[in-house]
Amino acid sequence: MTLIVDAVVIGRNEGARLVACLAALRGQVRRVVYVDSGSTDASVAAARSAGAEVVALDMSLPFTAARARNAGLLALAEAPPDFVQLVDGDCVLDPGWIPAALRTFHGKPNAVVVCGRRRERFPEASIFNSMADREWNTPVGPATACGGDALMRFAAVLAVGGYRDDLIAGEEPELCLRLRRAGGTIWRIDAEMTLHDAALLRFGQWWTRMVRSGHAFAEGADLHGAGPERYWMVETRRALLWGAAGPVIVIAATLIHPLGLLLALVYPAQMARLARRGGWRWGLLTVVGRFAEARGALGYHFNRVLGRRRGLIEYK
């Protein structure tokens, strides 16, 4: 039996990256649905020219990657595929990826998501790109989550309701949690999957990315932290400890006695510990990133107390 694979691509103002993304899908899938989140460049025209079906999101509602992916899934539902390849518009699919992933599905009947190695196209362009490339390199084997690029069983995703539209970030791990609770398994295989162009060239871009991570940790823990998986509880507490409670403790101790300032030495000590694994720049940015994560986590809780669904950040 021939298995049907379709693709959902999401993006906003991706330019040439989107053109490359769509070109790589040609001949690999039956249908490509491109979901555009308010692009002001020629993305929509480029997608139509490439033969993709275009879904333009209603600009009166807040954009999220989850909302865009759900719109793409909905467009495929009238003639559903067996599998759907989710791809971000700044990524290019490896030509051998889909056959490799389908072989994994064939050998693992309970598998609902298969992902592979996502690589940064230009890891040498900045330390931030290099850190992203390292982040993508998760262990091979059974996994708890995937990233934005993955091949999924279409029916299984729809059975759990798809993505949560309102999540600003962290929508893939949250979906994977519900898929696993429904009896499915997630696998990361040793195969090239996509080339990603993060284009993280400035500190501010990286900082915003880390704020989004902290927001995702806090919201995920709020949604599912009470479950047996303790979903993102560790990550949230770590961010709040290092990025919020730690500075408060140092300041309070210093006000009590000047020697209390010595407690701040825990931060360079942590940098040194991390540097043994990834170098000094990686250690420094990992510790600095805790402050950004704490800002994101506190921003989520602040908005929740005020009864606002939106956080401080939105999908690009």
Side-chain angles (χ1 to χ4, degrees):
M1 180 180 69
T2 301
L3 298 172
I4 298 174
V5 181
D6 291 339
V8 171
V9 179
I10 66 170
R12 182 182 184 189
N13 293 329
E14 300 295 354
R17 298 186 298 186
L18 176 63
V19 174
C21 174
L22 296 173
L25 289 167
R26 191 174 300 122
Q28 296 214 61
V29 298
R30 178 187 63 170
R31 298 168 62 193
V32 177
V33 174
Y34 168 65
V35 184
D36 187 79
S37 296
S39 290
T40 55
D41 65 2
S43 290
V44 169
R48 289 194 173 118
S49 178
E53 303 169 41
V54 175
V55 176
L57 294 182
D58 181 352
M59 295 179 64
S60 68
L61 299 174
F63 295 134
T64 68
R67 180 183 164 217
R69 292 193 175 100
N70 277 344
L73 295 173
L74 181 62
L76 295 176
E78 291 184 4
D82 298 296
F83 298 92
V84 58
Q85 176 67 50
L86 284 303
V87 191
D88 288 347
D90 55 6
C91 294
V92 172
L93 201 70
D94 188 273
W97 163 247
I98 289 179
L102 289 177
R103 287 193 295 271
T104 301
F105 278 112
H106 179 73
K108 301 182 186 301
N110 291 331
V112 291
V113 177
V114 175
C115 56
R117 178 65 161 104
R118 182 195 239 197
R119 294 186 187 274
E120 279 304 312
R121 184 181 290 276
F122 304 111
E124 73 288 345
S126 71
I127 179 60
F128 314 117
N129 272 9
S130 177
M131 290 181 74
D133 187 66
R134 179 173 179 150
E135 177 186 325
W136 308 140
N137 194 20
T138 56
V140 170
T144 59
C146 67
D149 306 332
L151 189 64
M152 302 185 182
R153 289 192 192 272
F154 188 79
V157 174
L158 261 60
V160 298
Y163 294 87
R164 285 186 63 111
D165 275 1
D166 57 348
L167 291 185
I168 291 174
E171 67 279 357
E172 304 96 351
E174 196 277 336
L175 169 63
C176 287
L177 175 68
R178 289 183 283 116
L179 287 168
R180 289 189 290 112
R181 286 179 174 178
T185 57
I186 318 296
W187 292 85
R188 191 235 161 159
I189 63 174
D190 187 14
E192 297 299 314
M193 181 177 61
T194 49
L195 272 179
H196 177 250
D197 187 6
L200 294 171
L201 305 179
R202 302 186 305 276
F203 178 82
Q205 294 173 298
W206 173 81
W207 177 269
T208 298
R209 187 171 185 268
M210 299 306 292
V211 171
R212 286 170 57 85
S213 294
H215 188 288
F217 292 156
E219 188 164 20
D222 193 31
L223 288 169
H224 302 295
E229 304 89 352
R230 306 296 290 163
Y231 182 69
W232 274 350
M233 292 294 291
V234 171
E235 291 82 355
T236 301
R237 288 172 177 169
R238 180 185 63 197
L240 292 175
L241 173 63
W242 287 96
V248 170
I249 291 170
V250 170
I251 292 170
T254 304
L255 291 174
I256 294 171
H257 191 283
L259 289 178
L261 187 60
L262 293 175
L263 292 175
L265 292 176
V266 70
Y267 287 95
Q270 177 72 343
M271 292 177 199
R273 185 183 72 83
L274 293 170
R276 289 199 293 269
R277 289 188 290 163
W280 277 103
R281 290 194 301 173
W282 185 78
L284 171 63
L285 286 173
T286 298
V287 172
V288 171
R290 300 291 180 244
F291 295 94
E293 289 174 349
R295 181 178 183 272
L298 291 172
Y300 164 73
H301 286 295
F302 177 76
N303 280 281
R304 187 168 68 90
V305 168
L306 293 181
R308 299 194 309 213
R309 284 301 305 150
R310 306 314 303 157
L312 301 174
I313 44 180
E314 300 240 352
Y315 169 58
K316 69 178 184 178

